[in-house]
Amino acid sequence: MGTLLCAMLLAGCGVQDEALVLTLERDEQADALEAEKALQSDLVEEVSEQKIFVHVCGAVKRPGVVELPPESRASDALEAAGGLLAEAQPDYVNLAARLEDAQQLYFPTREEAKLLREEQEEVAEDLVNINTAGIEQLCTLPGIGEARAADIVAYREARGAFPNKEAIMEVSGIKQSVYEKLCDRISVN
């Protein structure tokens, strides 16, 4: 359209017409520059979207936030943080794990790792395994009396092991409200 308009205006060939043509050309140039700036802005956004940021801390040489490409692994974040310190527990973090944007990755010392494992074992010991527990042990759970414990055992014997913790709600008398009271205290392992 701009070319057709310019051709029509040139047919008149007056000074006023030449000024109008120059104005139209400047407007087209401004539009082209604006489009180019918008395209560059989109490219900058695409590049920034192609990065993830991970906070690496603990027993590493250079703790802090590292910038990595998507699909990076924990080993990439560790490398970006300069590697482990001598007192670090090298096998505590799964270095093959995929990372997500805004994730924190903590590398403990050997002593910290030992304490963390002990805490995890204590928590696991306090859990009641609903696939193996007897009536007495099931009665230690909040909201579970002797009759309900017997129902759990009978259900398990009739249908087999619970595939997950939530499956306990299939037992007669155990609904969402009871489950919420005991879900942090049970396991199926």
Side-chain angles (χ1 to χ4, degrees), residues 134-149:
I135 292 175
E136 188 177 303
Q137 193 176 14
L138 289 167
C139 286
T140 65
L141 295 170
I144 305 295
E146 195 169 321
R148 197 67 56 228

Side-chain angles (χ1 to χ4, degrees), residues 118-134:
E118 288 172 3
E119 286 176 16
Q120 290 169 349
E121 289 171 7
E122 286 176 16
V123 168
E125 287 173 7
D126 290 342
L127 296 179
V128 174
N129 184 336
I130 58 175
N131 285 327
T132 60

